[in-house]
Amino acid sequence: MTETFPITRSDEEWRRILTPDQYRVMRAHGTERPGSCGLLREKRPGSFCCAGCGQALFKAGEKFESGTGWPSFNDPVPGSVGTHVDRSHGMVRTEVHCSQCGSHLGHVFEDGPPPTFLRYCINGVALDFVPD
């Protein structure tokens, strides 16, 4: 089953727009090294947006320190992400992608803090930060 998204680009266009690391994570479903992203330490008010299309995905107030080495959030901006079952690497996880362009962002787990008890574990290279 192939999902369609409002923003579509050819593989060549994605390779032109994204850095090699962003392409590997966002289009080839890779993962960045834990602790390697500067956004892990970002604490200013603002929005974390999709690096592929600019859609606001998470508000800064939803970010928390999970100790995993990736930016973690309680809850996305309503309607900004989609999910599907990821059975890669011998595991069953819930993959998170941008609802506008389909770019892979990371995974969501049910071990987060209240009130949602969710941990959206997101690759920092898939995000751009826009301060308020």
Side-chain angles (χ1 to χ4, degrees):
M1 175 171 65
T2 302
E3 191 172 352
T4 59
F5 298 96
I7 297 173
T8 58
R9 295 184 170 104
S10 69
D11 189 61
E12 181 181 308
E13 289 172 307
W14 282 119
R15 287 181 186 278
R16 248 192 342 264
I17 292 167
L18 302 173
T19 68
D21 283 341
Q22 287 174 322
Y23 182 88
R24 184 181 57 76
V25 168
M26 299 173 74
R27 306 312 301 174
H29 295 258
T31 301
E32 69 187 356
R33 278 188 355 266
S36 65
C37 175
L39 292 180
L40 185 60
R41 291 166 285 287
E42 180 59 65
K43 298 188 185 314
R44 295 175 292 169
S47 296
F48 292 86
C49 302
C50 177
C53 70
Q55 175 179 224
L57 302 170
F58 300 94
K59 297 301 269 178
E62 298 294 326
K63 186 172 181 280
F64 66 94
E65 178 51 55
S66 66
T68 62
W70 291 278
S72 296
F73 303 88
N74 282 106
D75 215 9
V77 171
S80 66
V81 302
T83 62
H84 75 267
V85 176
D86 175 1
R87 297 182 190 282
S88 65
H89 307 290
M91 299 178 265
V92 178
R93 301 176 289 173
T94 302
E95 186 263 349
V96 178
H97 59 267
C98 175
S99 67
Q100 289 297 298
C101 70
S103 291
H104 171 75
L105 303 171
H107 293 85
V108 61
F109 303 95
E110 295 179 348
D111 61 0
T116 65
F117 299 98
L118 296 175
R119 175 174 53 94
Y120 284 83
C121 187
I122 306 299
N123 289 286
V125 297
L127 301 172
D128 287 328
F129 180 74
V130 179
D132 284 346

